[in-house]
């Protein structure tokens, strides 16, 4: 079987695993106080050109979002997010479980636009009863989004401007940031992200690590007690150096971008193959997630040929939507097998 | 330097790491729906002689405690625990963060006794204003305790009986369960734990794994929505099979007990060496944590000789308390070096 | 000035206040354990034809909703509600503050329809990833709604059927229930409400009381620890008999319905007067809240003539929306003054 | 029957009730935006000599404590309080329900001492693992305490000094403040309280009002979003002017102090009568709560004679502890009846 279900199906990139093996018997202090974690933080800050930033390494995405958002919001505030945002849909209510409302914005293919944010805030404070409602205390966006789409530099600059005019922080969920940065059509660099966001995280789980998300706080005044917050949210790893070792590798010699580029190229080959057969994309994604509308017969044919992928939503009567995802682990051989199957219907 | 600071200073037991390496490129579904996780659960249930149990694999201890306790308690209930219990002292308020009070009991070297639990519950309901107070909704104990001590089988049976008479579940935090089970003086088996507790967890992080805690729910009616609770608490690992692979190894061919035995034997050698020099233990621990009262001059001498360990509490004027901890990773060579240094003052 | 801003601008109906004065020096036990509270509960249960119900008297609507919803939901569940529902918009995040997400449904003039509820639940469980999302654990509706509209008996029966098929409770927010029951066009009785809802509350604050909301739990198994929940939510009144005295009066000799009828009749006179002038209603409300679209010039003319009312949303360029509200305290004289002003433009 | 069970058994002081009756038909805006509330706030600020303070009127004590403490603490902080403090014992976990731990201090007759607070904070930050523990974020004390005792001015000044040195706010629960201020032996004035506390509340429920607690924020920077917090905690009264009217009366012409003095004098007469019979006090309270140890036979004799009071804790075999409480509503006649019964055994 060749599998394109998601980007967290394999273990770690061999370089990361190799380093974990090499350092396995070394004894270090716990909870991220070790030298691997310190080194990884330095490498990340350098790649971000953000010498004043603080870096925290957590295990998974949901806990990262819950911890950061809980730390950024005052008690009476909620978080603005796209209706389709991961925190609003697929985190089992983790944000609300820590007491905060997700305030939803319309989206286009997962992206929110600055004018909607501006409008929301303006209308909110224009309402005489605003103190009876949940105040918008920050903006959450994902880049790439849950639909694989990416913001342009101009769009991010506008969102950042709107947030800072309203005196609320901008937080970027970068669970798949590697794939956003590596996209040829993107004009956004990691430095841009670090310059425009107050807090963001660089996803490791979906980009080569066994697990791990690196929170970069470019405005450290906003999260003065992050260590305790991480602990309180159950997100503090005892053997923290496992995160340090992995992120150290990811941010040495450009590995993180390489992983992104590899996956994006494979994804684009798949996209072209489907388009060449006359199929339609349902979202025009430039990253490692691709969404197609296929006849059910074609879906069944692909499955019968040993191709594994996700249905995207409910099965339709004639056509259904599907998602193909690539990662660092997707081999040329696998893609060629897939292209061969697609082409030979 | 030879280090005895804690039992989470090294990586994983080589058998676990080897298996992670061997399976690294394999692609599996996420979130614990893979076959490694299923197999680990079966192995654990078999070792527990608990065929009806449900097993859930989480990443760390604080998140495990927060998730289980939040799931077991009704909204108006709190959790009974020793004043010295990990959830009361060292989890940064994670229990309270999910809305529940920790109701404290007196302890002797970390252990609570059944009569105190019974008394608490009886006095509570004897008070006319009990509905104005937080109801005791479950009992939390750790085995071994935070002081390395263990319950006898008779004590656990008594605690279990008291809990079930009061219709509240008994939950055992087994972060260091390996070391409790492996202690020669212990008459408690894993089967006993599974028979007497409603829920307990088998610690991996401190006993050979990179990370991981296996929650065993022997009374599954009590936690019908555990998957969503784990997700909501940010404790769901995307690449869940990493936990399955590790616990599969730990519970194959008795490795878990072997790890426990090795560490306990090393700890007892250290204990005897200090006692032979006329030093006192501050808690008489039969497990892998040892606590001594040493003259400050001796502490400095050991440190100067390259021995690393933790001060236990504040430094005294002449004497201070210290903790030495062993693990699967503690070598004979390291212990012999230490004994040599202890003996040659 | 004659005021139609809201239905909580005056104190208590004279019969209630008179009884408070008459009983003021009497000494009773606290926290709702007094005989006035017991008597009020009996009267309410009789009017509801619900002898098995439990009645709890709380102070205000937001605390009532927060307490009941928190009690009805399991930890991983959220509450279904109209996008326009009071709990979603105007309670400052009180539901989320107790850890639960509000899951929004589309609405027509504040009402949700059974097929939307059914569809939501069906789609939810049809999604393979539903355990990553917030489970719909109950349905909240308001009757009358925030727009003054009411459900028909058939609609309520359908909502009740859908909820019970899905095994989730139906909760009705009756902050203005008096006005819904008293509406001529309504075919819903208090007995119907008690038969169809699992929990509902009868609003006192907006219907003649100084304050107070009577929670009727027709399915007491669902809220076994309500007293402690009320206390925990800070909603327990020390001098609970103040609530008992007031609800005793409201439910003696049909006063509650009388109050409703009086206000609804006054509201309908106002509605007819505006319609007679050719103005439009923006929602066709049969209860005590009336919503009109008026030219700004007419709004200014009314205000200049000493009429006070609320703008409903932002002021428009030529036309704006306004709300007029009546209550037990609205006198014939005030309405006639208003009609005179409306007619004589 | 003559009743001394508690200080919230009767309705309101006649002056307050009279003013509620006189203003009943008046129509005002809601939620505390009315002129009565504004006037009450001014009167209170004047009596406190705290022109910069902000005053908020809430309904009950538990909701007041939960709202203020939730507002003062950062997410990772807990509240220091006496083990016997109302928030730790009798609020059904309301503080934990909003996510914060109560950190307990030893007490003498309900009072904490500055050196214990100082010691707690010093030890906390001296522990290397303090970031794994709940940080002390504020101090809660009650004055008078739950045992009727009061702090001296020197003690309050010392507590205030310790708090401010540690940069944490001092919050005083004044549920029975009237009785503390009116005590002859007290050297503490309302101005002192306002000068030394960052936030405190003046209890109305137990001192002449139907209900109501006035929160005085002398350091308004600490609670910038109090209105929303009050709403979020379900503690915002729709007809807020009811609170304004009552506190307006309490703080006009010294009524609040008069109420306190009356009750304290009656309580002291009772105390002297019991002492004269050779009975012992179990706490030497100078305020309106009196605690005695009586032979069970005497308790039964008093009850048989029609005297009602509370047992304080469980009944003993020969002797039991009892509580007698007076209030504004305690008449000379009632006290004389009681004294007559006490004396004529």
């Amino acid at each position: 079987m060749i599998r394109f279900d998601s980007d967290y199906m394999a273990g770690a990139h061999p370089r990361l695993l190799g380093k974990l093996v090499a350092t396995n018997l070394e004894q270090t202090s716990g909870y991220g106080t070790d030298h691997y974690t310190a080194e990884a933080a330095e490498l990340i800050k350098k790649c971000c050109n953000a010498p004043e930033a603080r870096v925290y390494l957590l295990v998974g995405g949901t806990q990262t979002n819950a911890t950061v958002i809980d730390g950024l919001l005052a008690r009476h505030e909620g978080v603005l997010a796209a209706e389709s945002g991961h925190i609003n849909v697929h985190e089992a209510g983790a944000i609300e479980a820590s007491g905060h409302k997700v305030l939803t914005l319309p989206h286009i293919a997962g992206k929110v636009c600055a004018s909607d944010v501006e409008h929301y805030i303006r209308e909110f404070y224009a309402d005489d009863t605003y103190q009876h409602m949940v105040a918008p205390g920050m903006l959450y966006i994902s880049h790439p989004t849950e639909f694989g789409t990416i913001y342009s530099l101009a769009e991010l600059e506008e969102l950042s401007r709107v947030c800072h005019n309203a005196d609320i922080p901008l937080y970027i969920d970068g669970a798949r940031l590697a794939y956003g940065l590596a996209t040829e059509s993107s004009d956004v660099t990691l430095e841009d992200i670090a310059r425009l966001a107050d807090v963001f995280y660089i996803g490791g789980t979906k980009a080569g690590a066994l697990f791990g998300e690196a929170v970069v706080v470019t405005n450290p005044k906003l999260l003065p007690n992050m260590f305790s917050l991480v602990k309180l949210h159950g997100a503090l790893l005892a053997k923290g150096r496992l995160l340090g070792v992995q992120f150290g590798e990811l941010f040495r010699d450009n590995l993180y971008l390489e992983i992104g580029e590899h996956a994006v190229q494979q994804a684009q080959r798949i996209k072209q193959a489907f388009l060449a057969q006359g199929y339609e994309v349902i979202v025009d994604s430039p990253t490692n997630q691709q969404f197609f509308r296929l006849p059910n017969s074609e879906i069944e044919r692909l499955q019968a040929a040993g191709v594994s992928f996700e249905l995207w939503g409910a099965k339709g009567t004639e056509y259904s939507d599907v998602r193909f995802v690539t990662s660092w682990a997707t081999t040329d051989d696998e893609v060629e097998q897939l292209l061969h199957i697609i082409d030979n219907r």
Side-chain angles (χ1 to χ4, degrees), chain A:
Chain A
M1 183 166 327
I2 46 175
R3 306 192 67 159
F4 299 92
D5 309 57
S6 80
D7 36 18
Y8 44 90
M9 306 194 79
H13 187 279
R15 260 183 60 189
L16 276 66
L17 190 60
K19 193 67 179 280
L20 286 171
V21 170
T23 59
N24 186 55
L25 294 180
E26 197 174 324
Q27 291 182 310
T28 64
S29 59
Y31 304 114
T33 60
D34 63 282
H35 68 97
Y36 291 108
T37 299
E39 190 197 5
E42 284 311 309
L43 285 165
I44 287 171
K45 286 158 61 177
K46 205 165 167 189
C47 290
C48 291
N49 190 23
E52 309 299 326
R54 302 289 298 267
V55 176
Y56 302 90
L57 304 182
L58 280 71
V59 174
T62 297
Q63 69 182 212
T64 298
N65 286 334
T67 304
V68 169
I69 291 169
D70 193 23
L72 289 176
L73 293 179
R75 191 63 171 100
H76 69 296
E77 294 175 335
V79 51
L80 287 166
E83 177 88 29
S84 57
H86 203 260
I87 56 168
N88 192 45
V89 180
H90 270 110
E91 299 191 355
I95 303 306
E96 291 84 2
S98 68
H100 298 288
K101 194 179 188 70
V102 180
L103 306 165
T104 53
L105 295 166
H107 71 99
I108 297 173
K111 291 166 61 179
V112 297
C113 73
S115 60
D116 283 340
V117 176
E118 203 163 26
H119 179 258
Y120 189 104
I121 296 168
R122 192 174 51 236
E123 291 293 293
F124 180 83
Y125 287 106
D127 190 319
D128 280 351
T129 66
Y130 76 87
Q131 290 182 330
H132 295 245
M133 303 192 292
V134 178
M138 64 180 288
L139 174 63
Y140 163 98
I141 62 170
S142 40
H143 179 88
T145 69
E146 294 74 12
F147 295 94
T149 54
I150 55 172
Y151 290 89
S152 70
L153 181 56
E155 287 169 335
L156 285 182
E157 281 178 334
E158 196 63 2
L159 285 167
S160 180
R161 191 189 57 73
V162 165
C163 286
H164 298 137
N165 282 353
D167 203 21
I168 63 172
L170 169 61
Y171 169 55
I172 301 179
D173 176 336
R176 293 191 168 95
L177 190 55
Y179 308 114
L181 295 174
T183 296
E184 218 166 287
S185 64
S186 171
D187 59 353
V188 175
T189 65
L190 188 55
E191 291 192 26
D192 292 326
I193 299 276
R195 176 172 53 85
L196 298 170
D198 297 280
V199 186
F200 66 102
Y201 85 81
I202 301 172
T205 301
K206 291 169 176 162
L210 289 177
F211 54 85
E213 323 294 332
V215 176
V216 183
V217 187
T218 59
N219 188 349
K221 281 196 313 282
L222 296 176
L223 288 170
N225 301 290
M226 186 66 177
F227 186 97
S228 290
L229 284 174
V230 172
K231 179 71 182 167
L232 176 155
H233 278 276
L236 189 66
L237 192 66
K239 300 183 182 178
R241 103 314 186 68
L242 301 175
L243 293 160
V245 164
Q246 293 183 86
F247 274 99
E249 283 313 293
L250 284 173
F251 280 83
R252 203 189 316 279
D253 307 332
N254 255 351
L255 179 58
Y256 193 66
L257 277 185
E258 265 175 43
I259 283 173
E261 278 163 15
H262 170 79
V264 169
Q265 284 162 9
Q266 305 289 27
Q268 297 307 315
R269 292 172 69 192
I270 296 170
K271 183 184 194 171
Q272 295 312 324
F274 276 113
L275 292 177
Q277 296 297 323
Y279 298 127
E280 279 175 35
V281 293
I282 51 175
V283 182
D284 188 13
S285 157
T287 61
N288 74 318
Q289 298 188 86
Q290 296 298 327
F291 303 85
F292 307 102
R293 178 153 299 158
L294 300 182
N296 290 347
S297 58
E298 176 68 358
I299 290 173
E300 283 150 28
R301 191 184 70 84
L302 291 168
Q303 289 170 334
V307 182
S308 175
F309 50 93
E310 277 192 0
L311 272 185
W312 200 244
K315 194 154 191 174
T317 47
E318 282 184 66
Y319 286 80
S320 305
D321 296 341
V322 299
R323 183 181 75 154
F324 281 74
V325 191
T326 59
S327 77
W328 66 269
T330 306
T331 63
D332 282 347
D333 188 50
E334 286 168 333
V335 174
E336 271 145 35
Q337 279 184 57
L338 172 62
L339 300 193
H340 185 77
I341 294 167
I342 294 172
D343 294 349
N344 289 278
R345 55 170 175 154

